[in-house]
């Protein structure tokens, strides 16, 4: 897994050729939905995660893929028995095109309310990344934000409550989501971490996001203090989500449970950040 974490950390956010986005093929590749734990299902593409938290009173969708793959999420939800109007909330992880571009269609399709922290609200409404970045101000379909969530606030459906943990840096409104899940007599803490990679962000003199350096540093500390039994990132390879599903299906009932994953992700991100910071200082 260490190799996959490092690859995801150093990979560029995207390549632009003549204004077109050159994204990895896996980001668009369909994959059948699969159950993870308790009410949590994977409903994204092979390379971009979307997670459904399914309850009788309604479904919460966390993140999404690119705009052209919104239909894949819709079909995956239908495959697990979730009808459009059963989706009550869509939770933003961060306002980048590879996670937020499908929101406008998913919101229209379901009638769900989009939830984001204040730091990403403007980017979502304008449909563009808002920090100085090597990749420019990439665009995606603008979408209305129905609810602004603050640190520690919960989004509820029935007895289920997902808690917002603000971890800005990757974007100004990067939001990690926390969910306790009961399996038998055990309560597991499921964490959907927002990215803490540099991904081309300018760490010095970022006029559009002047507090970026301080925000990254605070978020490293915050995430390092979080206990996570199950880690479900927006890029699934960072935590071997698909491979863990295969192991579980092969008989390993505890394949998804690994409290070492989040500390390793944070440690790798801190090292990558220090390298990027040193490099940017030289220039």
């Amino acid at each position: 897994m260490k190799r996959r974490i490092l690859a995801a950390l150093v990979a560029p956010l995207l390549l632009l050729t003549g204004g077109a986005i050159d994204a990895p093929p896996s980001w668009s590749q369909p994959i059948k939905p699969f159950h993870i734990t308790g009410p949590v299902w994977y409903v994204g593409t092979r390379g971009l995660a979307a997670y459904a938290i399914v309850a009788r009173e309604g479904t919460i969708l966390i993140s999404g893929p690119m705009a052209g793959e919104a239909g894949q999420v819709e079909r995956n939800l239908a495959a697990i028995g979730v009808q459009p109007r059963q989706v009550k909330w869509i939770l933003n992880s961060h306002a980048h095109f590879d996670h937020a571009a499908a929101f406008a269609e998913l919101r229209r399709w379901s009638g769900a309310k989009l939830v984001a922290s204040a730091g990403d609200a403007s980017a979502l409404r304008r449909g563009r990344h808002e920090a100085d970045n090597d990749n420019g101000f990439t665009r995606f379909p603008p979408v209305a934000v129905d609810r602004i969530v603050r640190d520690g606030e919960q989004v509820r459906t029935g007895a289920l409550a997902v808690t917002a943990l603000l971890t800005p840096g990757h974007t100004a409104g990067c939001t990690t989501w926390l969910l306790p899940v009961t399996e038998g007599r055990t309560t597991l803490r499921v964490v959907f971490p927002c990215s803490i990679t540099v991904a081309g962000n300018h760490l010095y003199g970022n006029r559009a996001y002047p507090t970026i350096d301080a925000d990254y540093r605070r978020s490293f500390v915050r995430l390092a203090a979080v206990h996570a039994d199950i880690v479900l990132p927006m890029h699934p390879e960072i935590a071997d989500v698909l491979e863990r599903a295969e192991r579980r299906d092969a008989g390993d009932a505890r394949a998804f449970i690994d409290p070492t994953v989040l500390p390793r992700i944070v440690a790798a991100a801190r090292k990558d950040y220090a390298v990027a910071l040193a490099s940017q200082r030289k220039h």
Side-chain angles (χ1 to χ4, degrees):
M1 189 182 80
K2 183 177 180 181
R3 222 176 255 181
R4 288 192 180 93
I5 290 175
L6 291 174
L9 289 172
V10 302
L13 181 63
L14 72 161
L15 299 173
L16 293 177
T17 306
I21 294 169
D22 182 13
S26 65
W27 289 8
S28 300
Q29 186 177 349
I31 186 173
K32 290 182 179 179
F34 57 86
H35 180 245
I36 296 174
T37 185
V40 183
W41 291 75
Y42 189 98
V43 294
T45 67
R46 178 169 292 278
L48 293 175
Y51 301 99
I53 302 170
V54 182
R56 182 178 303 173
E57 297 83 359
T59 292
I60 298 173
L61 182 66
I62 298 181
S63 198
M66 298 183 295
E69 283 60 60
Q72 291 187 36
V73 174
E74 293 165 3
R75 289 187 290 275
N76 282 345
L77 286 167
I80 64 172
V82 176
Q83 299 305 308
R85 297 301 170 186
Q86 290 177 299
V87 182
K88 303 302 182 183
W89 302 101
I90 300 171
L91 309 187
N92 173 61
S93 168
H94 57 283
H96 280 165
F97 84 99
D98 50 337
H99 305 290
F103 283 164
E105 162 58 18
L106 291 169
R107 182 176 176 274
R108 182 207 62 77
W109 170 78
S110 65
K113 294 180 178 180
L114 178 63
V115 182
S117 66
D120 269 0
S122 173
L124 292 166
R125 290 166 179 152
R126 298 175 67 191
R128 57 172 287 179
H129 175 56
E130 290 192 332
D132 297 336
N133 189 288
D134 289 343
N135 303 301
F137 295 99
T138 54
R139 297 186 178 276
F140 51 86
V143 60
V145 177
D146 301 289
R147 176 180 167 186
I148 299 296
V149 70
R150 293 176 293 182
D151 190 57
E153 282 191 352
Q154 294 182 329
V155 178
R156 291 181 170 272
T157 178
L160 294 177
V162 188
T163 302
L165 178 73
L166 301 192
T167 50
H170 191 72
T171 68
C174 221
T175 305
T176 292
W177 298 96
L178 314 175
L179 174 71
V181 170
T182 301
E183 288 280 6
R185 296 181 179 180
T186 304
T187 297
L188 301 172
R189 194 171 202 192
V190 181
V191 176
F192 305 85
C194 193
S195 180
I196 46 175
T197 65
V198 174
N201 275 326
H202 295 177
L203 307 177
Y204 283 103
N206 198 314
R207 291 171 294 179
Y209 187 4
T211 62
I212 189 169
D213 178 54
D215 282 355
Y216 264 114
R217 294 178 187 277
R218 280 192 294 267
S219 293
F220 291 148
V221 172
R222 295 204 82 185
L223 282 173
V226 171
H227 173 80
D229 296 298
I230 297 176
V231 178
L232 302 175
M234 304 309 114
H235 287 278
E237 70 275 9
I238 292 176
D240 291 338
V241 176
L242 274 59
E243 291 78 4
R244 290 176 189 275
E246 292 176 356
R247 283 166 42 199
R248 187 270 316 280
D249 293 344
D252 182 359
R254 295 180 60 83
F256 283 106
I257 302 172
D258 188 346
T260 71
V261 171
L262 188 57
R264 280 185 280 167
I265 290 173
V266 175
R270 276 177 156 157
K271 289 180 181 179
D272 177 67
Y273 187 86
V275 170
L277 197 65
S279 175
Q280 292 185 23
R281 275 177 178 162
K282 292 178 181 178
H283 299 89

